[in-house]
Amino acid sequence: MTKMNEIVIRVLYGSETGTAQDVAEQIWKSAKRKGLQSTVSCLDDYDIQHLSLEQLIIFVVATTGQGDPPTNMKHFWRHLLRKSLPVTLLQNLKYGVLGLGDSSYSKFNFAAKKLNKRLAQLGGKELLSIGLADDQHNLGIDAVVDSWIKTLWEEIVNVFNICIEKKFEDENLIIERYNISITDINQLNRKREKYLIDNLNKSNTDIYAQETFINSNVRIGTIVENIRTTSEDHFQDVRLIKIQADDIKYNPGDVIYIRPKNTEEQVKRFFDILHEHDIKLYPCTMIQVSEKEIKVPFVLKQNLTLKEIVEQYWDLNFKPRRSTMHTLSLISENELEKEKLCEFASPIGQEELYDYINRPRRNILEVLIDFPHTTSKLNINLLFEIMSAIKPRPYSIASSLEATSNAIQVLVAVVKFKTKLVEPRFGLCSKWLASLKNNDKLIFWLQKGTFQFSNKPMILIGPGTGVAPFRSLLLEKAKTEKDLKEYILFFGCRNKNKDYHCREDFERLSRENNLKMFCAFSRDQDRKIYVQHLIRQQKELCWQFLENHGSIYLAGNSKNMPNNVRDEFVSLAKEIGKMSKEDAETFIRHLEKNNRYQTETWG
């Protein structure tokens, strides 16, 4: 029988926004509770020279764009693809791959699937079948993640012949990732004290600004325009926001990642909760974070006030996952609250948890209010375990450097909707962006986008804010090519006079540059008209473009539109192309496989 201390479980993750890191740390904590040696790090921080010596590695990998690996995995992935690597390189390795994806994308969990296949090609042995978590599921990724992790421990016991039954049910240990120390403001020197007092109620300091010194890709931008593109009486607030920054480079289809902050109202509510439960932590409390079990994020290595952490690091809109409820259940001493938290943390309580958290979009602050006795047991260390870091948000760039030098424009719809809860739900980043004024600063970086724009002709389909990357493309082509006769743009919105985003730009491009543009204003007549109906009306033109080796690009909400549009192109191939239903479907799949039909959708 293998001794437990002879097994080291490496948990490696790759993610753009941090979700894979959260899941990797969940696995790492579970291993620690079971008395197993475990480490966790992102893939590019792992010393790949040790790979051939490893016994057991768990990979948690998100997918970006058109099936691409995330940024903090690219170095590892390039090394793994080297043709000189022997096919026996990983003959001693047992591995498991857990993919985090979104089934609204055609290349669902592609990065995880490719990694799983490559590890096997190099001699690795699959410990358990690849897990393919789907953000579109009612329970989110937890629907797959929880059962996959349970199977993982069962396989580790069987394959490595180790006995962990005695600790298998011992889930009462809270694993703290960092050492947290507090320095009260009264102990600071007078100069620092005055600085803090002067700035406590201001949001002009940015804790991520120091990243610009260690990463040249991270930049500080200045807001120079924040214009509403929808009428004041329209139900949705959409903004065209212009960000000024020197020496930037990007291409049409590229993406800007933005670090948002919580609203002042949310920050105040957080400290009100602490005050109501007599938790003696204050906005001016100084926090120092040092390494205990895992690497401390760079942003937390500086001395920060708790207000700075609450405002800029913790996501106060975060919807708690099962692992959060489990941690809260461990500190609860109130019988009724503990029973409910344990139910939420159990496998059989997942539908209840979905009804409590996911359906109404209940956030972490509302959970703390609902469980007051448990909340009263919190301290600074526990807060670092139950709170989740704010994830950077990606937005398609809507501008062109050719048309607007040293500036980036984004088209942002402020997310707002009602649930059974009294207060409307808001998107953290979109609401924050809409509140920014001229000369406000933000932290951002640019990244290659999901679209791979090829040679024209092009059929562009972008209802709503999905038109953003196509605005970027068309503004650039209007400057470099002048004539846009080989571009078709299908745009859709509710009303011509209420939410026709960037109308002046598109009408000018149609008038002066021969852009073929067709607009579906769904609510301007009795019968609703959507982009797929316009594609049907223009079927001969679309087929002409496809026959001339044209490509299709689609961006927008993932709910119904992408499938409806795809069905329309299948019908088009049947009718105009004189194909059977099977051949038409094969034709569209061929376009998708060869990047002549690309989609960028979101939930």
Side-chain angles (χ1 to χ4, degrees), residues 32-56:
K32 299 286 285 187
R33 290 191 184 101
K34 298 178 192 313
L36 298 171
Q37 292 189 74
S38 181
T39 66
V40 62
S41 68
C42 78
L43 279 153
D44 281 356
D45 283 346
Y46 172 73
D47 188 347
I48 204 166
Q49 302 303 320
H50 296 160
L51 190 58
S52 61
L53 306 175
E54 299 286 7
Q55 287 182 285
L56 177 59

Side-chain angles (χ1 to χ4, degrees), residues 154-185:
E154 293 170 353
E155 291 301 319
I156 287 176
V157 168
N158 294 332
V159 171
F160 289 92
N161 192 27
I162 59 176
C163 179
I164 57 176
E165 284 83 3
K166 290 182 180 179
K167 297 203 175 190
F168 209 83
E169 300 300 326
D170 182 15
E171 297 287 318
N172 295 321
L173 178 64
I174 295 178
I175 307 295
E176 295 179 356
R177 295 169 293 172
Y178 315 124
N179 284 314
I180 313 295
S181 58
I182 292 175
T183 304
D184 191 80
I185 191 171

Side-chain angles (χ1 to χ4, degrees), residues 196-322:
L196 286 170
I197 292 171
D198 288 345
N199 288 277
L200 274 181
N201 295 316
K202 297 179 182 179
S203 299
N204 57 356
T205 57
D206 200 307
I207 66 174
Y208 286 95
Q210 289 197 21
E211 282 190 336
T212 61
F213 297 116
I214 63 166
N215 186 345
S216 60
N217 294 323
V218 178
R219 308 292 296 275
I220 300 177
T222 303
I223 301 296
V224 292
E225 281 183 353
N226 190 338
I227 301 169
R228 179 165 175 149
T229 65
T230 50
S231 63
E232 291 297 331
D233 62 343
H234 189 61
F235 80 100
Q236 190 175 45
D237 182 358
V238 179
R239 303 299 181 102
L240 184 65
I241 300 172
K242 186 175 181 181
I243 303 162
Q244 193 80 39
D246 295 331
D247 301 322
I248 50 174
K249 294 180 180 179
Y250 62 85
N251 294 308
D254 284 355
V255 172
I256 178 173
Y257 275 84
I258 295 174
R259 286 205 180 277
K261 300 177 184 179
N262 292 300
T263 64
E264 290 183 15
E265 295 86 356
Q266 287 285 72
V267 173
K268 182 180 183 302
R269 178 179 292 189
F270 176 89
F271 284 105
D272 285 345
I273 292 171
L274 297 188
H275 178 71
E276 289 167 9
H277 295 88
D278 200 29
I279 300 171
K280 299 189 184 305
L281 294 170
Y282 309 101
C284 56
T285 300
M286 290 296 296
I287 306 295
Q288 290 183 315
V289 183
S290 59
E291 190 167 321
K292 182 177 184 180
E293 290 281 354
I294 64 175
K295 185 178 178 181
V296 176
F298 176 77
V299 68
L300 295 180
K301 291 181 180 180
Q302 53 191 318
N303 289 338
L304 299 172
T305 64
L306 183 57
K307 181 179 184 292
E308 289 173 322
I309 292 172
V310 173
E311 179 193 59
Q312 302 179 51
Y313 185 73
W314 286 336
D315 186 349
L316 303 185
N317 269 15
F318 166 64
K319 298 191 298 295
R321 296 176 54 231
R322 179 181 168 187

